[in-house]
Amino acid sequence: MSGAPGDDTVAPPRPLAGRRIVLGVTGSIAAYRAFEIARRLQEAGATVDVALTPNASRFAPAFTFRNLVGGVVSDDLWTTAEDPELHVALGRRADALLIAPASATTIAKLAQGIGDNLPTLTALATRAPVAVAPAMDSAMFAHPAVQANLETLKARGVMIVGPERGRLASGQVGLGRLSEPADVVGATRALLGRHDGALRGRHVLVTAGGTREAIDPVRYVGNRSSGRMGFALAEAARDRGAAVTLVGTQAPPPGLYGVIVERVESAEEMRTAVARRREGIDALIMAAAVADYRPAEAAAEKIKKAGADAAPVLTLEQTTDIVAEASGRFIKVGFAAETEDLLANAAKKLSAKGLDLIVANDVRSEGSGFGSETNQVTLLAPGEEPAALPLLHKYDVACAVLDRVAACLEARAR
């Protein structure tokens, strides 16, 4: 995915840096997809240990994982080559245990506390949070025994990820397909956030993307916003343990697991959605590029092209300022995308809209324009000096913004 110049000069985000994840792999036809899950965990900065059941090795050989991850890879409960206490050491040092794919047999063993292979014994030995991603035939998944076992695991706090409806190994289509690797990794990040994130127990409402204001059924007035900054904020808030609602104009990217998404198109639709969903939130982050003006009247049918002297005149009217009218005990964060007088214009918006924080960026600056994967912003808050950040990936910008939100919430709670 390419973006503006400067994208390839900024280090990609590593949201799992410093984390150790045990990936348990079981004897499912979907075991080959664990290779991509392991790779994505590693790319996100995690140290990945892989614990395989004996049957998993039939589908996904251990030596392949050894070429993908930097941690321990084993399918032997009794091995002492890596660690004389490997059967309990993996669980003790794990920040999270992810079993993906999880077969019906393994789910049953987890529910009953049977530890006769490396993944199930690790589950018994660990005090870290656990996620399980089932993958099996749809008839097996629907069996009352499997459903009862899953309910038992949920009652113990285990996160169940999926499964999805799709084409299965049998060739049939049904519910039982392993969730996409991006979603499995997203679920793991959400699991960690709920365990020890700075925003756990909080609810954050984020808006994203550029609104479209109808001229007629096929044309609109819009802007160049890609929604990436808003998506990054939703992702980072989720990773910090918050319950996240995203109101956006574009389809969210893969991996935004656990985020409630509502799609809208116009400024008025976004205003209505935000008003409906802001009850009980702890923070409102208006990253969306909401149109300041819309056609005063949209044509019911497509406007036909006429002669040069008959071009239609478009009359515009102002839209409602969503963040300015939003009031409550929540933290309000706005954005100022400017082309001139960045700090002066941002400071005016900070005061006029009653914001606790505003994120200002010059959209003409290299690497900071619409559609870029990076951004260079300055954070402004009432009574504080502006804080300029270097060019960062938008996820890392989101992390900086959410650190400020968390600090504001903590200060208010004192």
Side-chain angles (χ1 to χ4, degrees):
M1 192 162 47
S2 62
D7 289 359
D8 57 356
T9 65
V10 176
R14 291 168 57 83
L16 292 177
R19 300 287 199 170
R20 191 163 199 130
I21 311 297
V22 176
L23 173 61
V25 185
T26 75
S28 164
I29 192 67
Y32 75 94
R33 304 187 80 196
F35 295 139
E36 185 177 352
I37 294 171
R39 179 184 61 80
R40 285 176 175 266
L41 289 169
Q42 185 100 341
E43 288 178 348
T47 298
V48 183
D49 297 322
V50 181
L52 300 104
T53 66
N55 285 333
S57 295
R58 296 172 181 263
F59 298 100
F63 68 81
T64 305
F65 284 105
R66 291 191 181 99
N67 292 324
L68 292 173
V69 302
V72 173
V73 178
S74 181
D75 58 3
D76 187 352
L77 183 61
W78 305 107
T79 183
T80 60
E82 300 281 358
D83 189 315
E85 290 189 318
L86 181 64
H87 57 296
V88 291
L90 288 179
R92 286 175 180 167
R93 65 195 182 204
D95 290 299
L97 168 62
L98 165 65
I99 300 181
S103 66
T105 299
T106 294
I107 290 169
K109 290 179 178 180
L110 292 170
Q112 298 303 315
I114 298 172
D116 64 349
N117 57 47
L118 206 49
T120 56
L121 188 55
T122 299
L124 290 176
T126 192
R127 296 297 177 265
V130 179
V132 169
M136 64 195 74
D137 181 77
S138 56
M140 293 172 63
F141 181 73
H143 195 281
V146 174
Q147 291 301 308
N149 289 332
L150 289 171
E151 288 303 317
T152 296
L153 295 179
K154 288 178 187 176
R156 292 178 190 158
V158 174
M159 177 187 282
I160 308 300
V161 185
E164 309 299 331
R165 184 173 300 277
R167 187 166 296 280
L168 306 172
S170 63
Q172 297 181 346
V173 175
L175 185 64
R177 182 179 175 85
L178 180 68
S179 294
E180 290 300 314
D183 285 328
V184 174
V185 174
T188 306
R189 290 163 58 179
L191 178 72
L192 287 162
R194 294 175 193 177
H195 181 65
D196 58 14
L199 290 174
R200 62 190 183 280
R202 302 292 192 175
H203 187 181
V204 177
L205 176 59
V206 180
T207 65
T211 62
R212 296 180 175 186
E213 312 303 323
I215 297 172
D216 62 23
V218 298
R219 302 181 182 91
Y220 62 87
V221 176
N223 57 64
R224 301 179 186 275
S225 175
S226 65
R228 284 180 173 175
M229 191 66 246
F231 296 148
L233 283 157
E235 187 179 15
R238 185 273 319 271
D239 291 352
R240 279 161 170 69
V244 183
T245 301
L246 174 69
V247 177
T249 60
Q250 283 106 334
L256 211 59
Y257 183 91
V259 174
I260 297 172
V261 178
E262 180 173 347
R263 293 284 302 277
V264 297
E265 183 167 284
S266 69
E268 188 57 31
E269 288 175 357
M270 182 168 286
R271 178 195 182 196
T272 300
V274 168
R276 185 177 66 253
R277 292 184 174 274
R278 71 178 184 234
E279 181 69 28
I281 64 171
D282 295 288
L284 169 62
I285 306 179
M286 284 291 302
V290 182
D292 294 320
Y293 297 93
R294 64 182 169 221
E297 186 175 346
E301 305 295 339
K302 178 183 176 182
I303 300 172
K304 298 298 184 181
K305 187 174 182 179
D309 297 332
V313 175
L314 195 61
T315 301
L316 300 178
E317 64 180 12
Q318 277 193 343
T319 60
T320 302
D321 193 318
I322 299 172
V323 72
E325 77 166 4
S327 62
R329 292 181 56 81
F330 47 84
I331 302 296
K332 287 205 303 182
V333 180
F335 276 70
E338 303 291 344
T339 60
E340 59 181 352
D341 297 330
L342 177 65
L343 296 184
N345 286 325
K348 289 178 184 177
K349 291 181 179 180
L350 178 70
S351 175
K353 298 173 188 288
L355 300 174
D356 297 285
L357 181 71
I358 194 164
V359 184
N361 71 303
D362 183 344
V363 294
R364 290 183 176 177
S365 178
E366 185 177 15
S368 295
F370 292 125
S372 170
E373 291 186 353
T374 57
N375 209 350
Q376 187 168 10
V377 307
T378 299
L379 306 180
L380 291 85
E384 298 182 17
E385 289 296 316
L389 303 183
L391 184 67
L392 298 169
H393 192 282
K394 284 181 176 175
Y395 178 86
D396 292 324
V397 172
C399 289
V401 171
L402 286 159
D403 286 346
R404 296 288 289 268
V405 170
C408 287
L409 289 170
E410 185 178 351
R412 286 190 179 184
R414 290 174 187 157

